[in-house]
Amino acid sequence: SQTIHQWPATLVQPVGSPLSLECTVEGTSNPNLYWYRQAAGRGLQLLFYSVGIGQISSEVPQNLSASRPQDRQFILSSKKLLLSDSGFYLCAWSVWGTGFNYGYTFGSGTRLTVV
Amino acid sequence: GESVGLHLPTLSVQEGDNSIINCAYSNSASDYFIWYKQESGKGPQFIIDIRSNMDKRQGQRVTVLLNKTVKHLSLQIAATQPGDSAVYFCAENIYGDFNKFYFGSGTKLNVKP
C-alpha cells in the first residue's frame, strides 16, 4: 500500500534560520508531489509541485524553494526564515491513470512556528 | 481558483441532523471534483469524488451533488455525528491542467451534541 511520510510534526525556528522539511512516499512510482501551506484558519495554498526527478514548478514567489533529488523524495527549504513563513505545511502526492489525476493523498503535516 | 486568504465560514448543526456544505467554482473546464475532510492538526483526507459527467454520487452517509449549470457543488452528510466536526474543502481539477487541484476556501463544520 502507498504511504506518505512527512517530518518533523512540529518545528519552532528563529527568524533568519534555515529550513528543511522532508517528505517521502512509499509504494508508488513516479508520483506527482506537492507542497502546500495553510495559515491558521485558512485555506490551502499550493507552493510547489513536481512531476518528476529534478523538475519543480513554483506557484508562489517567496522565501522558499523545493527540490526532488529522488523519485519519491520531496524537500522544502529556506535559507533564511521569515515570520510570515509560519504555518502548517502539507506534502501530498497524486497518481495518474490514463490521463486522469485521481486526487491527492496528504501527509500528516508540519506545524512551523517562526519566532 | 484558490481562496487561501479568507477566514473559514462555519456551519453549526445539531447531532443527528443532516449537513449541507456548499462550494462554488468558476471554471467551466473543471471536470473532476473531490471533497476533503481535514480534522484539527491533520492533513486533509479524501471523502468522495465526482466527475463532470455525473450529477450525483453517494457514499456512506455522504452525497455529492454537482450542478454544472450554475457551477455549484455540495456535500451532504446524513445524520451528522460529532466525529464529522472538521473543515471541509472542495477541490477541482481542470481539464488540460491535470497536475493540480484547486481548493475552495473551506467550511468549518461544528457538530453540537
Side-chain angles (χ1 to χ4, degrees), chain A residues 9-47:
Chain A
T10 59
L11 192 59
V12 180
Q13 291 284 101
V15 168
S17 64
L19 173 73
S20 180
L21 301 180
E22 187 165 344
C23 173
T24 59
V25 180
E26 295 178 0
T28 186
S29 296
N30 197 30
N32 285 4
L33 296 171
Y34 305 82
W35 279 111
Y36 277 83
R37 178 170 59 198
Q38 186 176 30
R42 310 278 182 159
L44 296 161
Q45 180 184 35
L46 179 61
L47 302 176

Side-chain angles (χ1 to χ4, degrees), chain A residues 9-96:
Chain A
T10 59
L11 192 59
V12 180
Q13 291 284 101
V15 168
S17 64
L19 173 73
S20 180
L21 301 180
E22 187 165 344
C23 173
T24 59
V25 180
E26 295 178 0
T28 186
S29 296
N30 197 30
N32 285 4
L33 296 171
Y34 305 82
W35 279 111
Y36 277 83
R37 178 170 59 198
Q38 186 176 30
R42 310 278 182 159
L44 296 161
Q45 180 184 35
L46 179 61
L47 302 176
F48 303 95
Y49 72 95
S50 171
V51 299
I53 296 174
Q55 189 281 331
I56 305 294
S57 295
S58 175
E59 292 294 299
V60 182
Q62 60 209 327
N63 186 42
L64 301 170
S65 63
S67 62
R68 185 168 177 176
Q70 300 180 44
D71 180 44
R72 285 168 283 183
Q73 184 184 30
F74 205 22
I75 298 171
L76 183 70
S77 304
S78 175
K79 292 182 179 178
K80 289 185 178 181
L81 284 168
L82 306 173
L83 287 173
S84 57
D85 291 324
S86 293
F88 191 50
Y89 287 82
L90 289 157
C91 180
W93 68 275
S94 69
V95 292
W96 279 77

Side-chain angles (χ1 to χ4, degrees), chain A residues 34 38 42 44 96 101 104, chain B residues 4-5 36 38 98-99 101:
Chain A
Y34 305 82
Q38 186 176 30
R42 310 278 182 159
L44 296 161
W96 279 77
N101 188 330
Y104 299 150
Chain B
V4 297
Y36 286 91
Q38 185 180 27
F98 300 112
N99 286 321
F101 277 79

